[in-house]
Amino acid sequence: MSDNPVAPDRPLRVGMLTPSSNTCLEPVTYGLLHGAGPALATAHFARVPVTRIALDTGSDAQFAPEPMLAAARQLADAKVDVLVWNGTSGSWLGIERDRALAAALTAETGIPATTSTLALLDACAAYGVTRLGLALPYTRDVADAIVSTYAKEGLECVLAEPFGEQDNEAFARIPPADVARQIEAAATDGAQAVAVVCTNVYGAFEAERLERALDLPVFDSVSATLWRALDLAGARPSWSGHGQLLRDGSLRAGIQSVLETLLEETGADRTTFRVDLPGHNLRVDLTAGEALAPGVRSIRRDASLDQRRLDTVEWLESERRALVQPHFRDAPHPPQALKDVYGVRAQMLSPVQSGGELTGWISVHSTRERDWTSADRRALAAATADLTDQLSQL
């Protein structure tokens, strides 16, 4: 949170640095916030000069930090609780540039900050996306630069044909139906989600319908920026009607954070969490989150097993306590595929309960036999308590 705590009698205030020629993000942001109700947050905007998107020095100069810092100081006068650069320039200029900008905004104002590009990367991390479809309004050279930038962040991209525009104001005049067709074209060739990378394109209000049709998350830049801003301010946004990210993104990100901490504290090879929360599009056949050591194979999208019928899960259902297995010579035995396909040789499992039911469970995997230490068990217990608390807040 910022140095100016949110008063209990007012909504959060989100400060947005806005490209001067953008006519989309303000009405869309307020349209999205309308679904959350007026008590959650208000959005406040300051404009910085941006009119053209191209790969040349003149275009790059529009994204210098000084005008953004000046605009941020003005927003700080309104005692906003979070700041965002509501633009995607870091997607082609480089992620480190956005990270440096967010750090500079916070150093200048004392207010937590992020950017649209960083929000899109956070969305991909929360959903475990490693192959991302791209729907872009830009020219082909800018699109190729985005593909290259994202590759450095571990994201393979499926690029739909970009619209080929340079004029930033013109992006908002692309018909939403055309944007929807571009999203559909990007949802191919193994894409695990699609991102609309531009905050001046009307994609946000298409997300809900397209997600149902494509069975993939759609990360619109305006929606992603608002989601991450609210999450950074501590609001944990969750409302329906505008796609998975605004409904489930904070839950997914919270789960992922717990699993990454657990992986680090145990030195394991894989940590996962499976949970049945149909209202949040989560079922135990697929993991809700996964953290991996380098080089370890992902299990996230393998839905080949009936998880509730596994011997180890039935043991959890019966015992309702942690199962600690330094090896698999004794019952209950894990599924053969866990050993043969994923190379697991030892594991810890912990039940997560809600309303007296076994809602889900945490798994900690090792690709070698190992004696789990008391510190490992304490880390698992802490993760279990954390996830139980998160579920209790839903």
Side-chain angles (χ1 to χ4, degrees), residues 74-362:
Q74 293 177 339
L75 286 169
D77 291 343
K79 293 184 169 51
V80 297
D81 302 293
V82 63
L83 287 166
V84 293
W85 161 230
N86 211 325
T88 54
S89 54
S91 293
W92 61 89
L93 295 178
I95 304 303
E96 287 307 318
R97 186 159 173 162
D98 266 24
R99 292 185 177 123
L101 173 61
L105 293 172
T106 298
E108 183 75 15
T109 64
I111 299 169
T114 191
T115 74
S116 297
T117 295
L118 296 179
L120 286 171
L121 294 180
D122 288 337
C124 288
Y127 282 78
V129 173
T130 58
R131 189 163 177 80
L132 179 66
L134 295 179
L136 310 174
Y138 311 117
T139 55
R140 186 60 187 242
D141 58 343
V142 174
D144 289 342
I146 292 172
V147 171
S148 177
T149 297
Y150 285 9
K152 295 173 184 176
E153 299 299 312
L155 285 172
E156 297 179 347
C157 292
V158 179
L159 178 61
E161 186 61 32
F163 286 110
E165 292 281 357
Q166 281 192 345
D167 179 7
N168 194 68
E169 186 275 335
F171 298 159
R173 291 189 269 115
I174 299 171
D178 291 349
V179 176
R181 282 191 288 271
Q182 190 187 49
I183 292 169
E184 291 170 344
T188 58
D189 197 20
Q192 298 158 350
V194 176
V196 181
V197 184
C198 180
T199 61
N200 200 26
V201 167
Y202 281 89
F205 299 144
E206 301 293 320
E208 182 87 357
R209 176 184 66 81
L210 287 169
E211 286 182 342
R212 289 195 299 267
L214 300 172
D215 196 26
L216 290 177
V218 175
F219 302 145
D220 172 76
S221 289
V222 179
S223 299
T225 305
L226 178 61
W227 161 70
R228 185 61 183 131
L230 293 172
D231 199 61
L232 191 59
R236 289 181 61 86
S238 181
W239 69 90
S240 299
H242 296 299
Q244 296 182 34
L245 190 58
L246 283 169
R247 187 189 65 218
D248 309 323
S250 294
L251 172 62
R252 295 261 192 169
I255 290 170
Q256 192 64 29
S257 177
V258 170
L259 294 175
E260 289 171 0
T261 298
L262 181 59
L263 186 78
E264 180 180 357
E265 291 181 348
T266 60
D269 295 299
R270 181 190 299 107
T271 56
T272 69
F273 180 50
R274 296 178 185 271
V275 64
D276 275 321
L277 292 172
H280 292 272
N281 202 36
L282 292 171
R283 301 182 189 279
V284 296
D285 58 335
L286 293 171
T287 69
E290 176 186 62
L292 298 170
V296 174
R297 182 176 177 179
S298 173
I299 203 171
R300 183 186 287 265
R301 290 178 170 82
D302 186 343
S304 60
L305 297 176
D306 184 350
Q307 293 291 324
R308 292 275 182 181
R309 298 294 300 274
L310 300 182
D311 289 348
T312 48
V313 176
E314 290 183 342
W315 188 95
L316 290 179
E317 180 71 72
S318 173
E319 297 291 329
R320 301 298 180 92
R321 58 187 173 91
L323 172 61
V324 179
Q325 297 180 296
H327 52 73
F328 295 141
R329 291 187 289 277
D330 302 324
H333 297 291
Q336 195 65 34
L338 189 67
K339 298 184 288 184
D340 294 347
V341 178
Y342 295 101
V344 178
R345 296 292 178 264
Q347 68 177 356
M348 296 190 295
L349 306 179
S350 182
V352 174
Q353 302 178 68
S354 177
E357 299 294 327
L358 179 66
T359 307
W361 58 91
I362 302 170

Side-chain angles (χ1 to χ4, degrees), residues 14-96:
V14 180
M16 294 186 167
L17 310 176
T18 305
S20 58
S21 53
N22 189 308
T23 60
C24 168
L25 72 86
E26 290 156 313
V28 169
T29 296
Y30 270 106
L32 295 172
L33 282 172
H34 180 75
L40 178 64
T42 56
H44 308 273
F45 304 90
R47 290 180 174 251
V48 295
V50 176
T51 58
R52 188 173 67 91
I53 305 302
L55 299 184
D56 58 57
T57 302
S59 179
D60 291 356
Q62 299 172 111
F63 306 106
E66 290 77 14
M68 297 195 193
L69 292 173
R73 287 191 290 270
Q74 293 177 339
L75 286 169
D77 291 343
K79 293 184 169 51
V80 297
D81 302 293
V82 63
L83 287 166
V84 293
W85 161 230
N86 211 325
T88 54
S89 54
S91 293
W92 61 89
L93 295 178
I95 304 303
E96 287 307 318

